[in-house]
Amino acid sequence: MQALKHEEALRGAARSASTKQPRETQLVRHLLTEIAPQITADFFGIFGETWVSDISFTVDKHGAVNIALITASGRLEPERVLSEAGLDVLSLLIAVEAHIATVAQGQYPVVAFDDVFQSVDAPLRSRVLAHLAARLKGWQVILTVHDRFWLEVAEQRFKERNFRTKILHLRAGGFGGTPTLFDGSAGLLRDLEHCLKSSASGVTVAGVAGRTLEALAEHLSAMLGAKITRKERDRYEINDLWLPVKAEIDLSQLTVAKQLAHTMTNTQFLRNRVGAHASDWADGLSDSEAFDAADQVIRLTHEFKCSSCGAWGKRIKVGGSWSLAF
């Protein structure tokens, strides 16, 4: 009897739950009217489409939102004139401004974007990332990417706006296994720092340190304007890059960088020999030597990057020498 009474008491709530509730569209209309000018400005700033003078939103009685691009020739449906990338960016801008507007209604400043750049090309991605970092300053932004390069670009764009960033890597656990989530980093030192944290062998660490040094030398050769003799088919080994870079560093006022560059020149196992090729003497390399060499590469890299935002410094002339500005 008690169970029957409890069931009867719940019947009213059950009928209400199964009945389709009328949609309240007035708030949606007001919100879209409020954010439309900002979306138009954002879309123009990213795409630069001068033929779009405005973007309008209408909400029908069923709650469906209709979007129109206002042009000199009239109203156009976005899906008829915009590319897939354009539609994705427009959708993203609408979502961002809607989230921002609803904060005033009590929503927390937290937003998650799941691989939203799949169809967006490189120049647009960079501009959209810069836009997100500017508009969502002070928010918690969760961004998933599947491309390492865009992970690095995203981190840089958000750091430029003084975001505190944290990178997490999600790796599959195999068939039937649980995915693994672990801390990571982006940029030039990613593999080397991961190698050190994973307690890899000295031979492995030295090989990765050599690859990292080569990547650093390649970047610094352009950044410092190092004079590199062109080789047939433009095939350059680490010494082709490193020695001209070291010569430029020696002319600088960067005391620590000069000391590190001198020490690293005398460290022969950094020249990609240990990790890339089998060698009897390399197998006798001590872990302490390898870890010390890796630490030197990391320290030298940090000498050329801002300690606050991680951006590369800019070379400036000082008399007959040069220094860095951040």
Side-chain angles (χ1 to χ4, degrees):
M1 180 63 71
Q2 185 177 1
L4 181 59
K5 289 181 178 179
H6 181 65
E7 181 182 336
E8 289 178 346
L10 293 176
R11 284 178 181 173
R15 282 193 295 271
S16 177
S18 62
T19 303
K20 189 174 183 179
Q21 300 297 314
R23 291 188 176 183
E24 176 53 60
T25 60
Q26 186 60 36
L27 183 59
V28 176
R29 288 192 181 94
H30 176 73
L31 183 144
L32 292 174
T33 301
E34 178 184 337
I35 66 178
Q38 183 64 52
I39 294 173
T40 303
D42 295 343
F43 186 75
F44 177 78
I46 293 173
F47 269 91
E49 301 289 4
T50 56
W51 52 272
V52 178
S53 60
D54 197 5
I55 300 175
S56 72
F57 300 89
T58 57
V59 183
D60 64 22
K61 63 181 181 179
H62 302 294
V65 178
N66 299 305
I67 305 171
L69 305 179
I70 310 301
T71 70
S73 59
R75 300 166 64 89
L76 298 174
E77 296 178 356
E79 56 268 27
R80 294 177 64 88
V81 292
L82 295 181
S83 64
E84 183 181 359
L87 292 173
D88 285 352
V89 171
L90 179 58
S91 301
L92 179 61
L93 295 177
I94 294 171
V96 169
E97 294 306 323
H99 277 288
I100 293 174
T102 53
V103 167
Q105 307 296 325
Q107 177 176 296
Y108 287 102
V110 179
V111 67
F113 300 119
D114 182 17
D115 200 25
V116 294
F117 301 113
Q118 191 66 26
S119 64
V120 182
D121 58 17
L124 284 179
R125 283 195 198 188
S126 185
R127 291 200 291 270
V128 172
L129 284 166
H131 173 76
L132 292 180
R135 289 295 291 158
L136 298 174
K137 190 170 184 179
W139 283 56
Q140 180 179 359
V141 181
I142 302 169
L143 182 68
T144 68
V145 295
H146 294 90
D147 188 307
R148 174 174 172 175
F149 173 71
W150 288 110
L151 170 65
E152 297 176 6
V153 174
E155 184 188 39
Q156 186 62 41
R157 292 294 173 267
F158 279 91
K159 279 187 173 181
E160 288 170 355
R161 291 289 179 172
N162 296 320
F163 272 79
R164 289 182 299 170
T165 61
K166 184 176 182 64
I167 296 175
L168 298 174
H169 292 277
L170 183 64
R171 288 188 178 174
F175 180 76
T178 303
T180 302
L181 189 68
F182 62 94
D183 287 352
S185 62
L188 188 103
L189 299 176
R190 171 190 172 182
D191 292 336
L192 183 55
E193 290 177 339
H194 175 67
C195 192
L196 290 172
K197 290 178 182 177
S198 64
S199 301
S201 68
V203 170
T204 303
V205 170
V208 177
R211 292 181 69 252
T212 305
L213 178 60
E214 186 170 16
L216 175 62
E218 182 177 1
H219 181 87
L220 293 181
S221 65
M223 175 180 168
L224 304 180
K227 297 179 180 179
I228 299 174
T229 303
R230 185 174 180 181
K231 297 184 66 175
E232 184 180 0
R233 298 182 182 179
D234 291 330
R235 292 181 177 178
Y236 300 99
E237 298 179 354
I238 188 168
N239 276 346
D240 299 322
L241 299 168
W242 171 244
L243 294 179
V245 166
K246 180 185 177 299
E248 290 296 326
I249 294 175
D250 288 340
L251 297 175
S252 74
Q253 296 184 352
L254 308 178
T255 304
V256 175
K258 288 194 288 187
Q259 292 174 345
L260 288 169
H262 176 73
T263 303
M264 291 162 65
T265 299
N266 297 328
T267 310
Q268 61 179 350
F269 56 80
L270 276 179
R271 296 173 185 170
N272 277 356
R273 297 178 183 174
V274 176
H277 307 285
S279 173
D280 292 336
W281 62 264
D283 291 337
L285 178 71
S286 70
D287 287 352
S288 61
E289 287 179 286
F291 296 154
D292 183 58
D295 180 64
Q296 291 173 17
V297 174
I298 293 173
R299 289 171 59 196
L300 182 63
T301 303
H302 288 321
E303 286 296 308
F304 290 89
K305 304 186 77 173
C306 176
S307 59
S308 298
C309 70
W312 292 94
K314 182 179 180 181
R315 174 174 172 159
I316 56 172
K317 291 184 178 181
V318 182
S321 183
W322 61 271
S323 186
L324 289 176
F326 297 98

